[in-house]
Amino acid sequence: MQGDIGAAVAAVAERYVGIREIPAGSNRGEHIDRWNREVGNPIGSPWCAAFACCAAREAGVEHGPWTGSSGEVANWGERTGSGVSGGDVCAGCLGAVINPETATGHCHTVVAVSGPDSDGVIDTVEGNEGNAVRRNRRHADTVDWVVPWGPE
């Protein structure tokens, strides 16, 4: 199940690469305001988790954290048993990097996991990354929480 839904989530996230805040630094814009509204965040809120969750919902995921908070993503994964702390990163899954001191962090959608010779490199699509939706490359060991999409 994760393979199919993961591919769908990754494809939806990829479609939004290049969407930018208007004006820069405002956490605002047509799509960004919609994503924040859909997860119940006030307009102008940080939006990385809102983007990731809304991309999954748009891809047909029926169960998810539906939140604009990266901390709540990790909490949801823990509550449902679907989140894995320091777990295996999979294409299409939701990744979260959490600062334990502040319980804040950053969420992203994993779009590709490189092979074993790549030293654990993953490709992501991230909302609220430099005021836009951007592709990024990071090491899998920097991801604190992994939440595969699928049945709850």
PDB file of all heavy atoms in Angstrom, residues 87-103:
ATOM      1  N   GLY A  87      13.192   6.163  12.033  1.00  0.00           N
ATOM      2  CA  GLY A  87      12.853   4.964  11.271  1.00  0.00           C
ATOM      3  C   GLY A  87      13.272   4.996   9.817  1.00  0.00           C
ATOM      4  O   GLY A  87      13.949   5.906   9.365  1.00  0.00           O
ATOM      5  N   ASP A  88      12.852   3.972   9.118  1.00  0.00           N
ATOM      6  CA  ASP A  88      13.170   3.847   7.708  1.00  0.00           C
ATOM      7  C   ASP A  88      12.427   4.909   6.914  1.00  0.00           C
ATOM      8  O   ASP A  88      11.206   5.037   7.012  1.00  0.00           O
ATOM      9  CB  ASP A  88      12.779   2.461   7.191  1.00  0.00           C
ATOM     10  CG  ASP A  88      13.639   1.370   7.795  1.00  0.00           C
ATOM     11  OD1 ASP A  88      14.800   1.666   8.123  1.00  0.00           O
ATOM     12  OD2 ASP A  88      13.143   0.247   7.941  1.00  0.00           O
ATOM     13  N   VAL A  89      13.164   5.638   6.127  1.00  0.00           N
ATOM     14  CA  VAL A  89      12.586   6.676   5.290  1.00  0.00           C
ATOM     15  C   VAL A  89      12.125   6.034   3.993  1.00  0.00           C
ATOM     16  O   VAL A  89      12.854   5.255   3.378  1.00  0.00           O
ATOM     17  CB  VAL A  89      13.629   7.784   5.013  1.00  0.00           C
ATOM     18  CG1 VAL A  89      13.056   8.844   4.112  1.00  0.00           C
ATOM     19  CG2 VAL A  89      14.110   8.388   6.323  1.00  0.00           C
ATOM     20  N   CYS A  90      10.889   6.337   3.576  1.00  0.00           N
ATOM     21  CA  CYS A  90      10.343   5.747   2.360  1.00  0.00           C
ATOM     22  C   CYS A  90       9.821   6.850   1.442  1.00  0.00           C
ATOM     23  O   CYS A  90       9.408   7.911   1.914  1.00  0.00           O
ATOM     24  CB  CYS A  90       9.224   4.778   2.700  1.00  0.00           C
ATOM     25  SG  CYS A  90       7.913   5.509   3.704  1.00  0.00           S
ATOM     26  N   ALA A  91       9.844   6.601   0.154  1.00  0.00           N
ATOM     27  CA  ALA A  91       9.328   7.578  -0.797  1.00  0.00           C
ATOM     28  C   ALA A  91       7.853   7.833  -0.528  1.00  0.00           C
ATOM     29  O   ALA A  91       7.080   6.912  -0.325  1.00  0.00           O
ATOM     30  CB  ALA A  91       9.527   7.085  -2.225  1.00  0.00           C
ATOM     31  N   GLY A  92       7.502   9.102  -0.497  1.00  0.00           N
ATOM     32  CA  GLY A  92       6.122   9.500  -0.256  1.00  0.00           C
ATOM     33  C   GLY A  92       5.783   9.692   1.204  1.00  0.00           C
ATOM     34  O   GLY A  92       4.725  10.209   1.530  1.00  0.00           O
ATOM     35  N   CYS A  93       6.665   9.293   2.118  1.00  0.00           N
ATOM     36  CA  CYS A  93       6.339   9.444   3.533  1.00  0.00           C
ATOM     37  C   CYS A  93       6.555  10.886   3.984  1.00  0.00           C
ATOM     38  O   CYS A  93       7.190  11.679   3.313  1.00  0.00           O
ATOM     39  CB  CYS A  93       7.137   8.469   4.397  1.00  0.00           C
ATOM     40  SG  CYS A  93       8.891   8.804   4.528  1.00  0.00           S
ATOM     41  N   LEU A  94       6.001  11.168   5.120  1.00  0.00           N
ATOM     42  CA  LEU A  94       6.123  12.475   5.740  1.00  0.00           C
ATOM     43  C   LEU A  94       7.286  12.413   6.709  1.00  0.00           C
ATOM     44  O   LEU A  94       7.332  11.532   7.576  1.00  0.00           O
ATOM     45  CB  LEU A  94       4.829  12.799   6.478  1.00  0.00           C
ATOM     46  CG  LEU A  94       4.752  14.051   7.326  1.00  0.00           C
ATOM     47  CD1 LEU A  94       4.987  15.293   6.472  1.00  0.00           C
ATOM     48  CD2 LEU A  94       3.402  14.135   7.997  1.00  0.00           C
ATOM     49  N   GLY A  95       8.243  13.294   6.553  1.00  0.00           N
ATOM     50  CA  GLY A  95       9.376  13.351   7.460  1.00  0.00           C
ATOM     51  C   GLY A  95       9.274  14.593   8.319  1.00  0.00           C
ATOM     52  O   GLY A  95       8.757  15.620   7.882  1.00  0.00           O
ATOM     53  N   ALA A  96       9.753  14.488   9.541  1.00  0.00           N
ATOM     54  CA  ALA A  96       9.745  15.636  10.443  1.00  0.00           C
ATOM     55  C   ALA A  96      11.079  15.720  11.161  1.00  0.00           C
ATOM     56  O   ALA A  96      11.624  14.713  11.598  1.00  0.00           O
ATOM     57  CB  ALA A  96       8.614  15.520  11.461  1.00  0.00           C
ATOM     58  N   VAL A  97      11.580  16.914  11.244  1.00  0.00           N
ATOM     59  CA  VAL A  97      12.791  17.209  12.005  1.00  0.00           C
ATOM     60  C   VAL A  97      12.327  18.065  13.178  1.00  0.00           C
ATOM     61  O   VAL A  97      11.766  19.142  12.976  1.00  0.00           O
ATOM     62  CB  VAL A  97      13.816  17.970  11.135  1.00  0.00           C
ATOM     63  CG1 VAL A  97      15.063  18.287  11.923  1.00  0.00           C
ATOM     64  CG2 VAL A  97      14.146  17.163   9.877  1.00  0.00           C
ATOM     65  N   ILE A  98      12.496  17.568  14.389  1.00  0.00           N
ATOM     66  CA  ILE A  98      11.939  18.216  15.578  1.00  0.00           C
ATOM     67  C   ILE A  98      13.062  18.700  16.489  1.00  0.00           C
ATOM     68  O   ILE A  98      13.996  17.963  16.776  1.00  0.00           O
ATOM     69  CB  ILE A  98      11.034  17.236  16.374  1.00  0.00           C
ATOM     70  CG1 ILE A  98       9.980  16.595  15.469  1.00  0.00           C
ATOM     71  CG2 ILE A  98      10.411  17.928  17.575  1.00  0.00           C
ATOM     72  CD1 ILE A  98       8.955  17.547  14.905  1.00  0.00           C
ATOM     73  N   ASN A  99      12.935  19.939  16.975  1.00  0.00           N
ATOM     74  CA  ASN A  99      13.844  20.460  17.986  1.00  0.00           C
ATOM     75  C   ASN A  99      13.240  20.091  19.338  1.00  0.00           C
ATOM     76  O   ASN A  99      12.202  20.638  19.724  1.00  0.00           O
ATOM     77  CB  ASN A  99      13.976  21.978  17.847  1.00  0.00           C
ATOM     78  CG  ASN A  99      14.872  22.589  18.900  1.00  0.00           C
ATOM     79  OD1 ASN A  99      15.054  22.048  19.984  1.00  0.00           O
ATOM     80  ND2 ASN A  99      15.439  23.730  18.570  1.00  0.00           N
ATOM     81  N   PRO A 100      13.848  19.158  20.081  1.00  0.00           N
ATOM     82  CA  PRO A 100      13.238  18.702  21.334  1.00  0.00           C
ATOM     83  C   PRO A 100      13.119  19.778  22.401  1.00  0.00           C
ATOM     84  O   PRO A 100      12.269  19.706  23.274  1.00  0.00           O
ATOM     85  CB  PRO A 100      14.161  17.570  21.793  1.00  0.00           C
ATOM     86  CG  PRO A 100      15.443  17.781  21.081  1.00  0.00           C
ATOM     87  CD  PRO A 100      15.124  18.524  19.813  1.00  0.00           C
ATOM     88  N   GLU A 101      13.953  20.793  22.325  1.00  0.00           N
ATOM     89  CA  GLU A 101      13.901  21.851  23.335  1.00  0.00           C
ATOM     90  C   GLU A 101      12.704  22.770  23.151  1.00  0.00           C
ATOM     91  O   GLU A 101      12.172  23.310  24.113  1.00  0.00           O
ATOM     92  CB  GLU A 101      15.199  22.661  23.311  1.00  0.00           C
ATOM     93  CG  GLU A 101      16.405  21.853  23.744  1.00  0.00           C
ATOM     94  CD  GLU A 101      17.694  22.633  23.637  1.00  0.00           C
ATOM     95  OE1 GLU A 101      17.658  23.866  23.441  1.00  0.00           O
ATOM     96  OE2 GLU A 101      18.752  21.989  23.745  1.00  0.00           O
ATOM     97  N   THR A 102      12.277  22.956  21.919  1.00  0.00           N
ATOM     98  CA  THR A 102      11.173  23.876  21.652  1.00  0.00           C
ATOM     99  C   THR A 102       9.920  23.174  21.142  1.00  0.00           C
ATOM    100  O   THR A 102       8.879  23.801  21.016  1.00  0.00           O
ATOM    101  CB  THR A 102      11.593  24.922  20.602  1.00  0.00           C
ATOM    102  OG1 THR A 102      11.900  24.249  19.377  1.00  0.00           O
ATOM    103  CG2 THR A 102      12.789  25.728  21.078  1.00  0.00           C
ATOM    104  N   ALA A 103      10.017  21.877  20.837  1.00  0.00           N
ATOM    105  CA  ALA A 103       8.921  21.099  20.244  1.00  0.00           C
ATOM    106  C   ALA A 103       8.465  21.714  18.928  1.00  0.00           C
ATOM    107  O   ALA A 103       7.319  21.578  18.531  1.00  0.00           O
ATOM    108  CB  ALA A 103       7.762  20.930  21.216  1.00  0.00           C
TER     109      ALA A 103
END
